[in-house]
């Protein structure tokens, strides 16, 4: 197979970028999209040119490194996968393919298709954790968690933090990411003591990083490689509302880990 | 002269760790903040260590080459984590986990380390639950378990097929807490390129900022390497493409012994390699072997499709060879059994590099839904990569280089032969011996990081006399100079071949001569070819771009340069070990029916190699003594 690629090239964050056209020859249908790009890069390096910078690592769909907008869609045309899991058999021979980086104010471009996603880490550092010391945790079976509850928590926890939700959103909102993180911990008894504080600080951090607000258009869910449901955004909104009520009504009252179940 | 003192506490096995902890000197809370510790790597071992050290009050500076600590390769582990909780009441115990691990490793690891690992395994699960890790649960709310290769109990805790991801995110969130508190300074996109040793002690690292290309030296009172394994030296492996040997290799060149480098686990259940362009091999979780049955046609070169081969003409070779363990035979045995039937011409799929992993029975007995719930994501992944639907035809699998049991030599305190340099997780050689049981790497990474290193490093800091060392110290400047000239050299070659082409070539050499099975002739021929290839690399590699910029090809070329040296060390080690044990199968040493033949008389030792500039490495041996278990022939039949 053979493809024409329009690829965004940009030397650095402060320089202008532009599309450059490349031809990919001798592509087989069993090649992954990234292996196809590897091939193009090998050709460029052999000519002494700089290869196209893009991010990847595990190539198993789990590390969240790869971040290409392919023909306008983060992670490409298939649902529920990352770019590294996209195979060339998905495209027809001689197709023209456009490849761009994630575009969002909170994700400045570093080079070509590589963007800086540290904003997501900073949102996590604002409260996406349970404060627990390593000494003397109680036996894991002391906390009973129903299978259903654990499964929903796991659905939320399976977010890989790739940022496709941000790239797909008109407002470059990180709501789906934050919703997944907040929901995962809010659904488990261990997460309850810091529940109020967590949702507030994480949402504040999200705003501070320059992510936009949610417009309820569900583009994020459509491109999420782990099919995280927008229902978690509803849960996030509820958590936030609840936090506001708890804070204004009972400012001094500590939360019991078993006080309520959702 | 290098001295290997494993520092194992004397006395009964069960109380060794307690007694060591009691005899360790402590650093008082007020003094902890006066100590700085560098942690390199943010996988399970690195993130759990950095966060725990931060909690304790040390000043921690943590580095990773990924854009976020959450992307370390531990994230890709699928199956599960072992712990001797015995929730199933199926006969499990700390003693049994200890025995399974030491036997699974073919009696090539230290009793004391392995016992401690089994002991703290129970704490790990509790810690992870406290962190909010959504382990699979029974309907009654209790933790669920499954079983893995090489054992007969159900002791593996799991989060669907994403256990590594969830455990890593737990450690990462603990790290986030410490970053938030200012106890840990996190430096992502920063690669360690050398170690700074002052007065014989590890005191810092030389790093390259991967965005700006700027080199700098960071100093501390101790350095912890948690930089993972090196099976990417084979080019095709199940590792993430960034995983590499550079940090441990450069530490080796500064005086840290490298132990058992030839112990590379070849995992039996990966998707078979396809064409020349292939960049990686994808693992299919070992948990699939709980329900899938491995088979090949009885007849060689049988090109019928799987459904046309009747039951009587199928060879369920693992069930036949290892009736007690069947498809759950340990990884090394399963890998070699797969290789053996393929070598007989009975392999299936392109090139005959594959065997069937068949789910027909479980699909019929338990139904589509049950299988989908257990393994759905793996089946989806298989479909995407191969274009084949494993619900209707058996999967094809083939072994792939996976976890490396070799690594920098460490004593019982996880300290290398360089005082102040601690090595944890897959980067060290400890605990797994010559073969790692499934679901044990996550256990070791977290044991080292949460529960072992934080104690032992305190003792070091409390007892060592450490002068002040900064980035302007003579040794810091010398380290910086080594890295600067090396990078300059790489950029100035401007040859005609890409780094990837050299990587592929050295990988192929290793796979052919030091892969699933090895022999003297093959190893000697590899030892002749590797230096020639290395010479060509330094004459003819093409690294475009400049140093002081974002340059992925420069990063990669540096790692390939290290593989080209390390491959030789690996072959030296494989050549010296004239026995077959675990992942190391020397063809000259096998029984009549093709089982590996160990030689405890000559090789019950850790082979620790010392670097010598411009000469062959020197072998040091740490004898392995077995006081509490009797090394037996490892039979699973």
């Amino acid at each position: 197979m053979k493809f024409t690629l329009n690829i965004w090239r940009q030397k650095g964050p402060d320089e202008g970028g532009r599309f450059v056209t490349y031809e990919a020859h001798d592509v087989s249908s069993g090649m992954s999209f990234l292996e196809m790009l590897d091939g193009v890069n090998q050709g460029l390096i052999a000519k002494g040119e700089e290869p196209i910078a893009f991010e990847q690592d595990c190539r198993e769909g789990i590390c969240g490194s790869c971040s290409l907008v392919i023909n306008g869609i983060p992670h490409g045309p298939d649902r529920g996968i990352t770019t590294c899991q996209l195979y060339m058999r998905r495209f027809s021979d001689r197709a023209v393919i456009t490849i761009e980086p994630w575009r969002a104010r909170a994700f400045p471009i570093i080079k070509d298709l590589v963007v800086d996603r540290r904003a997501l880490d900073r949102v996590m550092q604002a409260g996406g954790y349970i404060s627990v010391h390593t000494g003397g945790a109680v036996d894991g079976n002391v906390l009973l968690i129903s299978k259903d509850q654990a499964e929903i928590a796991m659905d939320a926890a399976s977010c890989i933090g790739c940022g496709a939700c941000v790239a797909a959103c008109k407002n470059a909102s990180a709501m789906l990411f934050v919703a997944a993180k907040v929901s995962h911990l809010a659904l488990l008894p261990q997460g309850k003591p810091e529940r109020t504080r967590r949702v507030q600080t994480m949402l504040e951090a999200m705003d501070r990083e320059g992510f936009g607000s949610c417009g309820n258009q569900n583009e994020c869910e459509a491109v999420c490689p782990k099919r995280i449901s927008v229902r978690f955004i509803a849960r996030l909104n509820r958590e936030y509302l609840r936090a506001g009520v708890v804070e204004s009504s009972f400012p001094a009252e500590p939360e019991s880990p078993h006080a309520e179940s959702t | 002269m290098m001295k290997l003192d494993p520092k194992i506490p004397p006395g009964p096995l069960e109380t060794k760790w307690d007694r060591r902890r009691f005899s360790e000197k402590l650093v008082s809370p007020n003094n902890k903040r006066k100590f700085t510790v560098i942690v390199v790597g943010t996988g399970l071992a690195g993130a759990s260590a950095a966060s725990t050290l931060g909690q304790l009050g040390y000043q921690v500076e943590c580095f990773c080459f990924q854009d976020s600590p959450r992307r370390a390769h531990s994230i890709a582990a699928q199956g599960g984590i072992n712990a001797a909780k015995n929730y199933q009441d199926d006969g499990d115990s700390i003693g049994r986990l200890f025995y399974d691990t030491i036997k699974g490793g073919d009696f090539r690891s230290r009793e004391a380390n392995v016992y401690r690992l089994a002991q703290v395994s129970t704490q790990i699960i509790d810690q992870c639950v406290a962190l909010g890790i959504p382990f699979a649960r029974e309907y009654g709310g209790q933790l669920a378990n499954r079983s893995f290769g090489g054992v007969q109990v159900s002791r593996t805790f799991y989060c669907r097929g994403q256990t590594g991801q969830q455990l890593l995110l737990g450690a990462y969130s603990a790290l986030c807490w410490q970053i938030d508190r200012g106890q840990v300074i996190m430096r992502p996109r920063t690669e360690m390129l050398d170690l700074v040793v002052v007065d014989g002690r590890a005191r810092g690292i030389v790093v390259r900022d991967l965005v700006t290309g700027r080199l700098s030296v960071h100093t501390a009172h101790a350095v912890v390497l948690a930089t993972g394994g090196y099976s990417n030296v084979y080019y095709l492996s199940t590792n993430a493409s960034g995983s590499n040997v550079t940090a441990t290799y450069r530490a080796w060149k500064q005086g840290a012994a490298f132990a058992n480098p030839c112990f590379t686990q070849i995992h039996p259940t990966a998707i078979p390699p396809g064409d020349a362009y292939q960049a990686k091999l994808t693992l299919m979780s070992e948990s699939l072997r709980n329900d899938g049955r491995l088979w090949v046609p009885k007849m060689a070169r049988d090109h019928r499709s799987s459904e046309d081969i009747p039951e009587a003409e199928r060879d369920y070779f693992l069930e036949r060879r290892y009736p007690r363990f069947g498809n759950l035979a340990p990884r090394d045995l399963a890998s070699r059994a797969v290789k053996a039937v393929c070598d007989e011409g009975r392999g299936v799929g392109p090139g005959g590099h594959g065997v069937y992993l068949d789910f027909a029975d479980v699909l019929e007995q338990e139904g589509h839904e049950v299988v989908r719930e257990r393994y759905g994501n793996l089946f989806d992944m298989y479909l995407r990569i191969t274009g084949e639907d494993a619900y209707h035809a058996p999967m094809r699998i083939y072994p792939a280089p996976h976890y490396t049991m070799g690594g920098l030599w460490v004593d019982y305190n996880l300290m290398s032969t360089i005082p102040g340099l601690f090595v944890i997780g897959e980067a060290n050689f400890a605990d797994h011996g010559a073969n790692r049981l499934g679901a044990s790497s996550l256990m070791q990474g977290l044991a080292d990081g949460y529960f072992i290193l934080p104690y032992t490093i305190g003792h070091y800091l409390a007892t060592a006399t450490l002068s002040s060392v900064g980035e302007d110290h003579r040794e810091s400047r010398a380290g910086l100079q080594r890295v600067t000239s090396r990078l300059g050299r790489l950029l100035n070659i401007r040859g005609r071949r890409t780094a990837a082409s050299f990587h592929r070539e050295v990988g192929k050499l290793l796979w052919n001569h030091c892969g699933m099975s090895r022999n003297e002739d093959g190893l000697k021929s590899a030892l002749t070819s590797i230096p020639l290839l290395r010479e060509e690399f330094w004459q003819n590699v093409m690294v475009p771009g400049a140093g002081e910029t974002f340059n992925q090809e420069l990063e990669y070329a540096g790692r390939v340069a290290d593989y080209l040296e390390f491959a030789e060390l690996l072959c030296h080690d494989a050549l010296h070990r004239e026995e077959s044990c675990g992942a190391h199968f020397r063809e000259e040493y096998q029984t009549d029916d093709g089982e590996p033949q160990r030689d405890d008389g000559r090789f019950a030792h850790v082979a620790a190699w010392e670097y010598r500039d411009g000469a062959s490495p020197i072998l040091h041996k740490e004898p392995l003594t077995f006081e509490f278990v009797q090394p037996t022939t490892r039979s699973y039949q």
Side-chain angles (χ1 to χ4, degrees):
Chain A
M1 301 167 94
K2 188 180 150 190
F3 300 95
T4 302
L5 311 172
N6 292 318
I7 300 179
W8 185 261
R9 302 292 315 250
Q10 183 171 339
K11 276 196 155 52
D14 303 324
E15 311 207 24
R18 65 195 174 96
F19 282 103
V20 178
T21 304
Y22 299 89
E23 299 291 326
H25 300 283
D26 303 323
V27 176
S28 101
S29 64
M31 260 179 169
S32 77
F33 198 82
L34 298 184
E35 284 164 349
M36 183 273 296
L37 283 180
D38 289 341
V40 173
N41 273 345
Q42 290 298 302
L44 290 176
I45 298 163
K47 286 193 278 179
E49 289 178 34
E50 285 212 35
I52 302 144
F54 64 92
E55 287 214 84
Q56 48 86 32
D57 200 18
C58 76
R59 300 205 182 200
E60 291 184 20
I62 192 77
C63 76
S65 292
C66 54
S67 52
L68 301 181
V69 176
I70 299 164
N71 290 337
I73 306 169
H75 293 306
D78 281 338
R79 308 231 8 205
I81 60 164
T82 54
T83 299
C84 67
Q85 296 290 285
L86 178 63
Y87 281 76
M88 296 315 290
R89 67 174 71 87
R90 182 66 176 72
F91 297 89
S92 46
D93 195 15
R94 297 177 187 276
V96 178
I97 304 172
T98 302
I99 308 172
E100 294 169 85
W102 279 182
R103 294 195 192 273
R105 184 182 303 160
F107 292 163
I109 291 182
I110 292 175
K111 184 176 182 178
D112 296 341
L113 304 167
V114 178
V115 301
D116 181 352
R117 286 174 283 186
R118 278 177 300 175
L120 296 181
D121 287 311
R122 288 188 293 263
V123 171
M124 287 297 286
Q125 287 153 20
Y129 50 78
I130 293 173
S131 311
V132 47
H133 286 280
T134 41
V138 295
D139 187 277
N141 264 346
V142 167
L143 283 172
L144 295 180
I145 301 168
S146 79
K147 183 179 165 73
D148 296 338
Q149 192 83 352
E151 291 291 325
I152 304 171
M154 181 64 213
D155 285 342
S158 61
C159 166
I160 60 172
C162 64
C165 47
V166 177
C169 176
K170 269 183 209 170
N171 298 341
S173 170
M175 279 291 265
L176 191 64
F177 170 80
V178 180
K181 297 297 170 187
V182 166
S183 299
H184 158 215
L185 295 178
L187 278 159
L188 297 171
Q190 303 91 307
K192 294 274 160 48
E194 292 165 292
R195 183 180 176 188
T196 304
R197 181 179 165 270
R198 180 182 305 115
V199 64
Q200 290 175 331
T201 57
M202 287 183 81
L203 280 174
E204 281 161 21
M206 188 184 97
D207 289 343
R208 202 164 53 233
E209 293 293 340
F211 292 107
S213 55
C214 176
N216 291 315
Q217 296 199 335
N218 302 358
E219 296 280 358
C220 49
E221 184 185 273
V223 299
C224 174
K226 298 297 153 187
R227 296 174 186 262
I228 310 265
S229 164
V230 289
R231 280 176 306 178
F232 289 118
I233 295 182
R235 187 179 286 275
L236 172 71
N237 287 329
R238 205 164 73 219
E239 285 291 321
Y240 187 64
L241 198 64
R242 178 197 160 278
V245 173
V246 169
E247 189 115 289
S248 58
S249 324
F250 314 103
E253 191 172 329
E255 289 172 56
S256 152
H258 297 289
E260 51 187 305
S261 59
T262 43
Chain B
M1 181 65 190
M2 187 175 273
K3 208 172 130 262
L4 299 177
D5 176 6
K7 299 202 186 93
I8 301 166
L13 195 55
E14 292 79 4
T15 54
K16 279 181 192 290
W17 179 227
D18 282 349
R19 280 178 290 119
R20 171 56 51 87
R21 284 194 294 172
F22 181 67
S23 65
E24 299 274 79
K25 295 273 183 296
L26 298 176
V27 180
S28 79
N30 283 338
N31 285 336
K32 284 198 178 100
R33 71 171 73 101
K34 295 179 190 160
F35 288 109
T36 52
V37 179
I38 282 171
V39 179
V40 187
T42 58
L44 286 180
S48 56
S51 65
T52 308
L53 293 173
Q55 271 174 44
L56 288 170
Y58 296 106
Q59 298 294 328
V60 181
E61 199 172 2
C62 187
F63 298 79
C64 71
F65 64 72
Q66 294 90 349
D67 70 322
S68 162
R70 58 156 295 145
R71 303 204 206 285
H73 187 53
S74 305
I75 199 116
Q78 296 165 348
I81 176 168
N82 285 336
K85 282 288 202 182
N86 194 30
Y87 286 151
Q88 310 288 338
D89 204 15
D90 56 2
D92 202 6
S93 62
I94 287 169
R96 190 177 291 274
L97 175 52
F98 157 71
Y99 185 74
D100 284 347
T101 308
I102 210 153
K103 176 189 170 198
D106 232 340
F107 303 95
R108 289 292 172 265
S109 42
R110 283 187 204 128
E111 285 179 321
N113 282 60
V114 178
Y115 194 85
R116 174 177 64 184
L117 178 65
Q119 271 178 314
V120 303
S121 69
T122 59
Q123 267 173 284
I124 295 170
I125 300 303
D126 302 336
Q127 167 70 12
C128 290
V129 170
L131 282 168
I133 286 161
F135 283 117
R137 297 268 171 173
E138 308 286 2
Y139 280 105
Q142 299 213 336
L143 292 154
N145 290 112
R146 60 186 172 199
S147 62
F148 256 63
V151 299
Q152 290 171 310
V153 291
S154 254
R155 64 161 73 102
T156 306
F157 295 78
Y158 62 100
C159 307
R160 293 192 192 145
Q162 289 117 281
T163 317
Q165 177 198 32
Q166 292 309 312
L167 296 177
L168 182 65
L169 291 182
Y172 160 78
S173 72
L175 186 61
C176 284
W177 178 30
Q178 297 309 315
I179 296 170
D180 194 22
R181 291 180 62 219
Q183 286 297 125
V184 175
I185 297 169
M186 185 66 226
R187 302 204 187 281
R189 288 198 200 272
T190 310
E191 181 168 30
M192 169 182 161
L193 293 179
D194 220 324
L195 181 74
V196 175
V197 180
V198 177
D199 302 330
R201 295 177 185 276
R203 294 303 304 273
I205 59 174
V206 184
V207 300
R208 181 168 178 270
D209 179 320
L210 299 182
V211 177
T212 62
R214 210 177 70 81
L215 299 177
S216 57
V217 177
H218 296 252
T219 56
H221 294 95
V223 176
V224 181
L225 297 188
T227 51
Y230 50 77
S231 77
N232 267 343
V233 67
Y234 286 89
Y235 186 71
L236 282 181
S237 93
T238 62
N239 277 190
S241 45
S243 303
N244 65 81
V245 77
T246 289
T248 47
Y249 192 74
R250 306 280 170 94
W252 184 59
K253 284 188 144 183
Q254 295 303 312
F258 212 114
N260 300 336
C262 80
F263 289 169
T264 302
Q265 181 165 78
I266 314 287
H267 196 290
T269 55
I271 298 179
D275 296 298
Y277 54 76
Q278 193 149 353
K280 86 156 291 161
L281 295 172
T282 303
L283 191 75
M284 293 274 101
S285 166
E286 186 174 32
S287 63
L288 290 170
R289 290 199 279 144
N290 274 323
D291 285 309
R293 300 179 68 196
L294 287 159
W295 65 273
V296 287
K298 280 187 177 161
M299 195 170 68
R301 282 162 286 282
D302 185 339
H303 296 303
R304 289 176 290 175
S305 76
S306 59
E307 78 245 37
D308 294 334
I309 301 175
E311 202 60 32
E313 293 174 41
R314 299 176 178 191
D315 178 13
Y316 293 88
F317 54 95
L318 281 183
E319 296 167 37
R320 173 172 57 79
R321 283 180 72 162
Y322 308 105
R324 277 199 304 131
F325 283 76
N327 295 297
L328 286 175
R331 293 176 173 180
D332 56 330
L333 305 188
S335 295
R336 276 197 296 278
V338 168
K339 181 176 191 291
V341 294
C342 292
D343 288 350
E344 289 163 19
R346 296 196 284 146
V348 299
H353 294 303
V355 301
Y356 289 126
L357 178 58
D358 199 337
F359 294 86
D361 287 359
V362 66
L363 281 164
E364 193 182 310
Q365 285 156 16
E366 305 195 36
H368 197 278
E369 267 322 294
V370 172
V371 173
R372 181 176 294 282
E373 188 175 318
R374 277 182 208 155
Y375 311 114
N377 63 326
L378 296 168
F379 278 54
D380 293 345
M381 195 158 90
Y382 184 80
L383 173 66
R384 263 194 315 277
I385 293 174
T386 62
E388 294 168 22
D389 180 359
Y391 290 104
H392 293 105
M395 282 184 184
R396 285 176 300 108
I397 54 127
Y398 195 69
H402 182 51
Y403 186 93
T404 50
M405 284 74 66
L408 292 182
W409 184 91
V410 289
D411 61 20
Y412 186 72
N413 294 339
L414 305 181
M415 191 160 83
S416 71
T417 51
I418 303 176
L421 180 70
F422 292 81
V423 190
I424 59 177
E426 191 177 356
N428 74 26
F429 87 103
D431 299 7
H432 303 303
N435 175 50
R436 179 181 62 85
L437 290 181
S440 286
S441 67
L442 303 183
M443 174 172 67
Q444 189 217 345
L446 292 179
D448 287 2
Y450 283 137
F451 298 113
I452 300 169
L453 175 90
Y455 293 98
T456 60
I457 202 171
H459 177 77
Y460 172 78
L461 293 170
T463 52
T465 315
L466 299 166
S467 57
S468 147
V469 173
E471 52 194 292
D472 52 355
H473 190 278
R474 186 168 42 87
E475 294 297 340
S476 301
R477 289 207 306 267
L480 199 59
Q481 186 51 42
R482 283 196 298 274
V483 174
T484 308
S485 62
R486 184 184 169 87
L487 294 179
R489 214 178 135 198
L490 280 171
L491 285 162
N492 286 328
I493 299 167
R494 301 278 162 190
R496 303 157 72 100
R497 281 183 68 178
T498 64
S501 75
F502 286 99
H503 189 185
R504 215 177 276 134
E505 195 170 333
V506 73
K508 206 168 192 179
L509 263 170
L510 276 188
W511 179 249
N512 288 335
H513 299 301
C514 197
M516 256 185 290
S517 66
R518 299 108 193 242
N519 60 48
E520 189 180 338
D521 288 348
L523 289 166
K524 285 187 169 159
S525 98
L527 284 170
T528 321
S529 315
I530 294 165
L532 296 175
L533 186 63
R534 188 164 62 228
E535 202 169 307
E536 197 203 332
F537 175 88
W538 285 103
Q539 305 280 333
N540 197 24
V541 74
M542 174 66 209
V543 184
E548 295 245 318
T549 128
F550 184 91
N551 188 340
Q552 292 174 317
E553 200 54 25
L554 178 61
E555 294 166 27
Y556 181 49
R559 294 170 193 163
V560 173
D562 286 333
Y563 288 142
L564 285 165
E565 294 182 27
F566 178 67
E568 204 174 320
L569 179 64
L570 215 151
C571 291
H572 273 301
D573 188 45
L575 187 62
H576 128 272
R577 194 167 278 281
E578 293 173 336
E579 64 162 348
S580 291
C581 65
H584 170 72
F585 189 78
R586 273 287 292 272
E587 289 162 11
E588 301 94 325
Y589 309 95
Q590 53 180 309
T591 61
D592 292 341
D593 52 355
E595 296 297 330
Q597 195 143 47
R598 224 173 51 215
D599 184 346
D600 290 343
R602 292 172 64 216
F603 292 98
H605 63 243
V606 177
W609 299 87
E610 180 184 352
Y611 174 73
R612 277 195 311 169
D613 195 6
S616 291
I618 306 174
L619 174 64
H620 300 272
K621 295 174 185 174
E622 180 202 331
L624 291 168
T625 48
F626 294 92
E627 288 178 70
F628 305 95
V629 294
Q630 187 59 42
T632 53
T633 306
R634 205 171 133 237
S635 169
Y636 291 87
Q637 284 168 344

